[in-house]
Amino acid sequence: MNNDFRHQFWKQQIQTSMIVCVGVMAAAMAMIWICTYDLDMAIRIRGVILAAGISGILAPLGSAYAIRQNSRHLSLHLQYERLANSDDLTGLANRRCFNRRGAARLASAGRSQTALLLVDIDWFKRVNDMHGHEAGDDVLCHVAQTLIHAAPDGALIARLGGEEFTIMCEISGPEELNRLAEKLRRATEATHIIYHGEVISVTISLGLAIARPGDTLSALLSRADKALYGAKDHGRNRFAVAA
């Protein structure tokens, strides 16, 4: 999204700069030509050439300065946008961003089915109690990276808060969703974290839900949340599908 925005920005800046430069040169040449109407033709032509040369130097310099300032403003805008929409710790989308983008995805879903996976780190409080909050932060970042690498391309991955994450993606049907959930579960279970020489093993529980016609994001999250509680009630390190 930011790459597209930057591309459009630079395209617009270059087009505007060219229009301004040509306009300034044309205006300067026309002004000299009109103002010297009573002079010799050779003098008028030299004046027009001089006006074209000076404006041809000054106009690009002014445009370059304006583009530089606009580029700085763009960088600040993108930085503020990233801070407003990203989780500080993991770099994933935050709840605010997920609510906006998730609702938009749900509203524009095509023929493919939209699935939502709610992910919760098992016994996360024990990690904080036994190893400290810095270890807990490492676990959160580790799980975030695991989800990024195991999730399908184009999936919307977010940290909703605490130890809870969510993934929204397009699927062909329930079978594909089950395979994805098992892939995420196994990928997390198969890795561990070394914190100050101690091994920390992590597992996750998942609640799965497939969007229905007319579903809102809130309704989809609610069903996935109920399925997640079912997975946790049946022993954790597993997934459950919403009814």
Side-chain angles (χ1 to χ4, degrees):
M1 181 177 173
N2 282 351
N3 288 336
D4 291 341
F5 189 79
R6 287 180 183 274
H7 175 76
Q8 291 298 323
F9 168 82
W10 284 111
K11 181 180 178 181
Q12 184 183 50
Q13 292 298 307
I14 292 172
Q15 289 176 343
T16 302
S17 177
M18 291 177 64
I19 293 171
V20 169
C21 289
V22 171
V24 168
M25 290 179 65
M29 293 166 66
M31 182 179 67
I32 294 297
W33 184 258
I34 293 172
C35 292
T36 58
Y37 72 94
D38 57 342
L39 299 179
D40 183 74
M41 181 61 69
I43 296 176
R44 297 181 73 188
I45 293 175
R46 284 198 296 271
V48 169
I49 293 173
L50 182 62
I54 294 175
S55 60
I57 294 173
L58 296 181
L61 289 176
S63 293
Y65 176 78
I67 290 176
R68 182 183 177 186
Q69 293 299 104
N70 291 339
S71 178
R72 292 177 62 186
H73 294 155
L74 173 66
S75 297
L76 288 173
H77 168 76
L78 294 177
Q79 182 179 358
Y80 291 144
E81 183 181 44
R82 179 183 61 80
L83 292 173
N85 293 285
S86 299
D87 175 59
D88 290 341
L89 181 63
T90 64
L92 296 177
N94 58 20
R95 179 183 286 272
R96 174 178 177 272
C97 179
F98 173 76
N99 286 341
R100 186 183 71 254
R101 293 178 60 188
R105 281 196 177 203
L106 200 58
S108 62
R111 292 183 178 181
S112 298
Q113 293 179 288
T114 300
L116 188 139
L117 301 86
L118 207 53
V119 181
D120 190 85
I121 301 176
D122 296 329
W123 311 115
F124 181 71
K125 186 176 183 301
R126 291 183 182 178
V127 174
N128 284 330
D129 292 342
M130 294 175 63
H131 305 281
H133 288 281
E134 287 187 3
D137 289 347
D138 285 354
V139 168
L140 291 169
C141 292
H142 171 76
V143 170
Q145 289 302 309
T146 301
L147 298 180
I148 290 172
H149 289 111
D153 293 339
L156 173 58
I157 309 172
R159 181 187 175 201
L160 297 184
E163 66 271 28
E164 194 170 67
F165 301 82
T166 188
I167 301 172
M168 178 179 278
C169 60
E170 302 301 311
I171 57 167
S172 59
E175 295 79 9
E176 183 183 357
L177 178 57
N178 290 346
R179 288 194 298 269
L180 173 59
E182 182 62 12
K183 178 183 178 183
L184 294 169
R185 188 196 68 78
R186 286 179 180 271
T188 306
E189 184 183 41
T191 58
H192 56 265
I193 302 165
I194 306 296
Y195 181 78
H196 291 177
E198 295 187 66
V199 177
I200 303 176
S201 297
V202 181
T203 61
I204 57 174
S205 298
L206 305 96
L208 319 180
I210 299 177
R212 300 168 181 167
D215 254 348
T216 62
L217 183 61
S218 177
L220 189 59
L221 276 167
S222 179
R223 292 207 310 278
D225 191 50
K226 290 178 182 178
L228 175 61
Y229 275 101
K232 294 166 72 172
D233 287 342
H234 286 83
R236 290 179 166 82
N237 191 23
R238 64 188 65 221
F239 66 86
V241 183

